[in-house]
Each structure stands twice: as C-alpha cells, then as structure tokens.
Amino acid sequence: MSSPEGHVRPERSAGRAASGPVVAITGAASGVGLQLALRLVESDRIKKVVAIDERRADVPGATWRVLDVRDPAIADKLRGADVVVHLALDMDLESDAKARSAFNVRGTQTVLTAAAAAGVHRVVLCTSAMVYGAQADNDVPLAEDAPLRATSEASFVDDLLEIERLGRRAPRAHPGLNVTILRPAVLVGGTDTALTRYFESPRLLVVAGSRPCWQFCHVEDLVTALEFAVLEKVDGEMAVGCDGWLEQEEVEELTGIRRMELPAAIAFGAAARLHRLGLTPSPAGDLAYTMHPWVVSGSRLHEAGWRPQWSNEEVLAELLAEVEGRNSLAGRRLGRKDATTLGAAGATVALVGTAALVRRARKRRGL
C-alpha cells in the first residue's frame, strides 16, 4: 500500500536496516548532497533515504521528493524523517549575489522550521571553516570553540554566518530539535570556489608580510563526517579537514607554481577595482583567506573516532588534476586566448593588475 504524497513511511526495503534513522537530504541531486545520498543508501545502518531537490538524480534506493526547499510544503515531505541533512545551498561564484543569499538564507530558515513542524529531531547543517575568519593573529590550529571572526567582505561568508545564526536559534525556538553544524576547510572534489580557483592562476599571489597556511578537506571526507553526524556520533559545531596544514612554501614546491609577491595595498586595491568593474566574481575580502591562517583542529570528530582518509598533499594533488587546463586571474575564468595574452604580458598583469582587462572595461563604459 502506497503512502500519501509527502509522507515518508519507515518501511524496510530489501537489504536495509530494520532499525536506524530515516534520513532526508536536501540538495541531493548534485555535489555533496548527491555523494552523501549515494553513500547512505548503501549503509546497513540507515533505514531509509529521502532525497529532496528541484530535480532527480540517479540514486538507486532513494525516495525522491521534488521541490524547492523554500516551499513550506517541504514540512509534509519531511514527516517520518529522523534526521535532515540540509545541503541545498547555492555557492556558485557566478550567481547573482542577492538572489543567491536569498535562496541560502530563506531555504535554511524554511528547512529548520519545517523539520521542527514535522517532528524531526536532528538537522545537520554544513557551512565552512571560513566562518572563523582569516586573521593574522589566529591560533594555528584554531580550537573549534574559537570565536567566529569572519567579516562580510568575502564570498558567501554573510550567508554562512546567517545560516549558523539560524541553526543556533532553532533549538531555542523549537525545543527537542537538535542542530549539528559541520565546517569544512577548503573543500576539494568537484568544487569551484574562489579558493580552488587560486590554483588556476599562472602565479600564486602572495601578499607581502602574510603567512598563508593551507588546509584542505576532500568531499569524500566531508561525506563520512556528515554520516557521523547523521548517526549521532557527534554533536554541536565541529570542523572537518585534513590533519595538519601546508605552509605556502610547501604549496609552491608541491604545485611547481611560482609565487608573485605584492604589497597589500596594491593587491587589495586591484582586487577591489576588478570586482567593482564586474570583471571578477571574487570580492577583495577573499584575499584574506590566502593571506592569514584559518586552520582548524577537528578535535571533536577525532574524539568520536572519525579520521580523514585524505592528506593535505593528496588533496592538493587532486585539486591540481581537476584544474589542469583552466586559467583564472583574480578568480575570473579566462578563455585560452585571454590566458595566453595575459601570460605574456608579465607577472604583475597576469596576477592582479590585469591592466588590459581594466582598460577594456573602462573603454566599454566610456570611463
């Protein structure tokens, strides 16, 4: 007998656990959500996987609910679920910033409210270790209970901070609802961010006087950490990443990409102008995350028995393989012709000045 539309029946499917949580995953058609759905449908500790997105993907064994996470009707789709993992976030650098923020914040707010109304007892959110902020005086590594000192000057950070605020308020507004938050380091594995594009440049920009430290998180490790949260092996707010970190000199040696060192005023000034002219998707604030350390300890997951399967060196090698053949300057993807022209124009132009692009934009706008 089929269940009413939107009602998730905790019935056992062939080969699936008789006990264990019914897990709903938003954003299950792509990215981390898809990888998590594929993993959980194979787990003998999960009773049922409900996949939620605006389109379907090929996840054999999952029950699909197709809708926008901002639709209040999602509460009906979550009935019967024990855990909701909310991964339906727009982190596309090319998206309109206001529309992207509206989707991310409204979607999270709706999912939290709907989960409480549906009787879900746990919601798992995924933000980023960027919320700690990249500050010159940060401890290395940062404790997981370190204050969140990020500013609104970097990509997505406003959204991530607001998502965390919503997550912290939800248990107070809805007693009985538990919210767990995971904060991955630089995420690699089919991702496209300002920080992964840093490694698409012909030279690695280093701001004079800074001390960059690089810590990565492979998507596969994030998925296993999310599984720990789903199975209630961890609670609260925790960071996810490879053990340790790489100094800038180690990154340059491993990548074989030479650095170009520029004074902070020049680097930030050029980045701000390029972004203001609409030539790059990355605001100047993103530079801070390539200057100052924001390495995290991950001690809470470690204490629960979780360990990353990837090292920083391995993830960096994977990232280099993914971005091979791509060219970015100040976060802007370039075609082959642009990359060749700028590469021949000299290191300063190739890195941040991108004077030819600025002049071209000014000419178009009659400036």
Side-chain angles (χ1 to χ4, degrees), residues 266-342:
I266 293 175
F268 274 94
R273 286 194 299 275
L274 290 169
H275 185 64
R276 190 167 57 248
L277 288 167
L279 291 171
T280 65
S282 299
D286 284 348
L287 275 178
Y289 289 88
T290 70
M291 293 173 58
H292 306 306
W294 48 292
V295 172
V296 289
S297 72
S299 60
R300 290 177 180 166
L301 274 165
H302 283 220
E303 289 166 3
W306 178 88
R307 291 292 184 277
Q309 297 303 302
W310 291 73
S311 68
N312 281 302
E313 291 85 352
E314 290 169 337
V315 179
L316 180 56
E318 176 89 354
L319 174 57
L320 291 176
E322 285 190 6
V323 304
E324 186 176 3
R326 299 178 191 166
N327 296 280
S328 290
L329 297 177
R332 176 181 181 266
R333 255 314 141 63
L334 299 176
R336 182 171 297 178
K337 182 178 179 181
D338 281 337
T340 301
T341 301
L342 290 170

Side-chain angles (χ1 to χ4, degrees), residues 185-259:
V186 179
L187 195 59
V188 175
T191 58
D192 177 27
T193 68
L195 293 168
T196 60
R197 288 190 184 188
Y198 177 81
F199 294 93
E200 298 178 13
S201 298
R203 297 285 185 272
L204 297 179
L205 171 62
V206 176
V207 176
S210 65
R211 59 168 186 137
C213 293
W214 291 91
Q215 181 185 37
F216 300 97
C217 178
H218 196 276
V219 165
E220 290 177 2
D221 282 335
L222 177 57
V223 165
T224 61
L226 288 166
E227 184 180 21
F228 260 59
V230 164
L231 295 172
E232 303 190 28
K233 295 182 179 182
V234 289
D235 237 340
E237 300 159 359
M238 65 212 70
V240 192
C242 298
D243 292 334
W245 61 90
L246 299 173
E247 304 285 350
Q248 182 70 22
E249 292 76 14
E250 294 176 284
V251 166
E252 291 166 20
E253 183 178 350
L254 289 166
T255 62
I257 307 174
R258 290 180 294 170
R259 72 164 62 190

Side-chain angles (χ1 to χ4, degrees), residues 90-247:
D90 181 0
M91 294 296 171
D92 188 342
L93 284 170
E94 311 300 336
S95 294
D96 175 77
K98 288 184 179 179
R100 181 179 65 214
S101 182
F103 176 84
N104 291 337
V105 174
R106 176 70 183 194
T108 302
Q109 189 173 41
T110 302
V111 167
L112 287 166
T113 303
V120 173
H121 77 267
R122 176 180 290 249
V123 174
V124 180
L125 302 176
C126 185
T127 59
S128 167
M130 291 178 74
V131 297
Y132 289 107
Q135 305 288 341
D137 61 349
N138 274 348
D139 291 334
V140 181
L142 287 162
E144 284 166 303
D145 59 358
L148 307 186
R149 299 199 292 161
T151 69
S152 61
E153 296 170 352
S155 300
F156 312 118
V157 169
D158 262 356
D159 292 1
L160 299 175
L161 289 171
E162 183 58 27
I163 286 167
E164 293 220 0
R165 281 191 286 268
L166 291 169
R168 285 192 295 273
R169 286 202 298 262
R172 297 196 295 269
H174 309 287
L177 181 65
N178 175 293
V179 176
T180 300
I181 300 175
L182 270 63
R183 300 166 177 158
V186 179
L187 195 59
V188 175
T191 58
D192 177 27
T193 68
L195 293 168
T196 60
R197 288 190 184 188
Y198 177 81
F199 294 93
E200 298 178 13
S201 298
R203 297 285 185 272
L204 297 179
L205 171 62
V206 176
V207 176
S210 65
R211 59 168 186 137
C213 293
W214 291 91
Q215 181 185 37
F216 300 97
C217 178
H218 196 276
V219 165
E220 290 177 2
D221 282 335
L222 177 57
V223 165
T224 61
L226 288 166
E227 184 180 21
F228 260 59
V230 164
L231 295 172
E232 303 190 28
K233 295 182 179 182
V234 289
D235 237 340
E237 300 159 359
M238 65 212 70
V240 192
C242 298
D243 292 334
W245 61 90
L246 299 173
E247 304 285 350

Side-chain angles (χ1 to χ4, degrees), residues 10-26:
E11 59 192 18
R12 184 182 183 184
S13 59
R16 188 165 290 288
S19 60
V22 174
V23 183
I25 304 169
T26 70

